Amino acid sequence: MATARTATVMGSALVVVLSAVGWGQSTNAAPSPSVPATTTATTAPTACVTRAEVEAWPLRDRASNLLMVGVSMAEAPAAVSLVVTEGLGGILIRGAPSKTSGPALRAIRDAGRHGPAFVAVDEEGGRVQHLRTAIGPLPTARSVPKTRTPAQYRAAVATHGRAMRALGFTMNLAPDVDVDPPTAGTGPVGANGIGDRSYSANPSVVADYGRAFALGMLDAGIVPVLKHFPGHGRATGDSHNIGASTPSLTSMRASDLVPFAAILTDRRVGVMTAHLYVPGLDTYPASLSTRAVTDLLRGEFGHRGLIVTDSLSMWPIRYYYRAPEAAVLALRAGNDVLLYDDRPAVPAVLDGLVVAMAKDEKLAAIAVDANLRILAAKGRTLCDQPTPTPSTIVIDTTVSTTSSTIAP
């Protein structure tokens, strides 16, 4: 039987991590004066939002504002209808928008029920960018530290971000702050699916350039979302497949978690949770794990910004869970934005969330917290900002990996 120990996770250990990455030393670029860095809404109301205001929403509104659904650019008109009829909080654009896609994207944004809908995209640079045709290319992460300082990179990303915002985008599921394994090759794709999406095998370099990217997006009025928490760089495989796991939590503290601990001190920055198993932390993947999301991200790191799941339609989740069940687990774990790529599943997901919240007052309250963070990310001011409290997590000292021989 595995033994366990209880560890206090807030305090000097985190201070050491933050000082190691040189927080505040990597860039001196000033935010763009033309675009407020703290808002993504086209017109943000001046009155602050109270918790009571969100508690008064129907349960279905509490649920629908949490959902983000991936669609192709060709499906944009249907996405507008989905945002209007179901009250979705966001849409993720797949495929390759063009220079003329702006009106369709802005229509999605402006259709939001509780403020503008998020209009998101995966725009990292290199292999993962959808806007090359529309607004031009970004270099691969791996090449950037060789050619630009963090300050130069921030400025370039801000320029790219302003072009994204002009099209209608309000969120970028980037940067990738995964740390390369020490033995990483030079090719574009690694066995873990990351490869040249990583800035470096040095966590301090990853932190510096990931932070520069995030600040550049914020300068442009775009919400950046770090990925893939708790770190995909040394995973045993691609998290699109069943059973990918990380090294032990203890090992990750000295490497993979360093960029997240540094950059997430800025509450305007979001973070994406990955379908990765962490030996000794939980039997659930990090994306569905209360220990990973609530205890580690919220408790230890004190993160007060958005937490977005990787797509809950991905094989490691949909093989084990029905779509509504995955949504409930993800919300209960502490995620705010629940990402799906299965548009027909939306009504069932909403029904499942509503039923679960009606039965569980604690889950309904968790949904209120999540919606408040979503509103803040969309430019609303919250009337009261809670202070994160220290938390403890139970760490299983037995290192094991979760794996499966089932092919996707």
Side-chain angles (χ1 to χ4, degrees):
M1 183 174 179
T3 59
R5 62 185 175 87
T6 300
T8 301
V9 296
M10 189 131 177
S12 59
L14 183 57
V15 172
V16 171
V17 169
L18 294 180
S19 61
V21 298
W23 172 252
Q25 299 174 1
S26 62
T27 177
N28 297 313
S32 165
S34 60
V35 181
T38 55
T39 179
T40 59
T42 50
T43 55
T46 55
C48 63
V49 182
T50 65
R51 183 179 184 86
E53 180 182 335
V54 179
E55 288 175 334
W57 291 3
L59 288 180
R60 198 169 184 87
D61 274 26
R62 289 193 208 179
S64 62
N65 201 46
L66 307 178
L67 289 197
M68 177 179 287
V69 176
V71 304
S72 69
M73 195 63 232
E75 296 174 297
V80 173
S81 177
L82 196 62
V83 171
V84 171
T85 58
E86 297 289 5
L88 298 192
I91 294 293
L92 171 63
I93 298 298
R94 305 290 192 183
S98 69
K99 295 178 180 179
T100 60
S101 297
L105 295 170
R106 293 190 291 271
I108 294 172
R109 179 196 65 195
D110 297 339
R113 183 175 298 175
H114 296 288
F118 286 130
V119 183
V121 66
D122 283 290
E123 186 73 358
E124 299 174 18
R127 290 181 291 119
V128 182
Q129 56 181 316
H130 295 264
L131 305 180
R132 183 189 301 270
T133 300
I135 60 176
L138 282 173
T140 63
R142 184 174 285 166
S143 70
V144 170
K146 303 172 185 177
T147 59
R148 289 188 172 101
T149 65
Q152 291 169 337
Y153 189 44
R154 175 178 176 175
V157 169
T159 298
H160 198 81
R162 282 188 281 272
M164 291 172 61
R165 186 169 170 84
L167 273 178
F169 287 102
T170 62
M171 176 182 283
N172 189 2
L173 301 184
D176 186 316
V177 294
D178 297 312
V179 180
D180 251 345
T183 56
T186 57
V189 184
N192 59 7
I194 302 302
D196 61 5
R197 298 167 67 186
S198 172
Y199 292 103
S200 175
N202 183 331
S204 297
V205 173
V206 175
D208 285 345
Y209 282 89
R211 178 174 176 264
F213 188 108
L215 290 174
M217 283 290 142
L218 287 168
D219 293 345
I222 301 286
V223 177
V225 178
L226 311 185
K227 58 191 184 187
H228 305 81
F229 185 86
H232 209 307
R234 293 188 291 161
T236 58
D238 191 326
S239 58
H240 285 82
N241 304 321
I242 291 175
S245 65
T246 71
S248 70
L249 182 62
T250 300
S251 175
M252 295 183 72
R253 287 186 182 281
S255 178
D256 307 81
L257 288 169
V258 169
F260 294 102
I263 303 168
L264 290 177
T265 56
D266 190 329
R267 68 177 302 147
R268 300 172 300 165
V269 179
V271 59
M272 174 179 282
T273 53
H275 311 316
L276 293 167
Y277 292 88
V278 183
L281 180 64
D282 205 337
T283 56
Y284 287 102
S287 54
L288 304 182
S289 168
T290 300
R291 291 179 179 178
V293 182
T294 296
D295 292 342
L296 191 59
L297 262 177
R298 296 283 186 218
E300 177 175 348
F301 289 6
H303 178 52
R304 295 167 69 188
L306 282 183
I307 300 178
V308 183
T309 69
D310 208 341
S311 176
L312 296 172
S313 301
M314 287 165 61
W315 184 249
I317 302 300
R318 65 184 175 90
Y319 181 82
Y320 292 109
Y321 307 102
R322 293 176 298 108
E325 183 183 8
V328 172
L329 288 171
L331 177 60
R332 196 182 303 279
N335 295 280
D336 302 314
V337 177
L338 314 179
L339 175 60
Y340 280 89
D341 283 283
D342 184 6
R343 185 156 53 93
V346 167
V349 169
L350 293 179
D351 289 344
L353 284 168
V354 169
V355 169
M357 286 190 287
K359 292 179 179 179
D360 186 344
E361 291 183 359
K362 182 178 179 180
L363 186 67
I366 289 173
V368 171
D369 291 334
N371 274 294
L372 286 168
R373 284 186 287 267
I374 288 169
L375 291 174
K378 292 181 176 181
R380 297 297 302 273
T381 300
L382 305 186
C383 295
D384 45 9
Q385 302 282 3
T387 301
T389 55
S391 176
T392 60
I393 58 176
V394 177
I395 303 171
D396 186 344
T397 57
T398 301
V399 177
S400 62
T401 59
T402 302
S403 60
S404 173
T405 57
I406 303 172

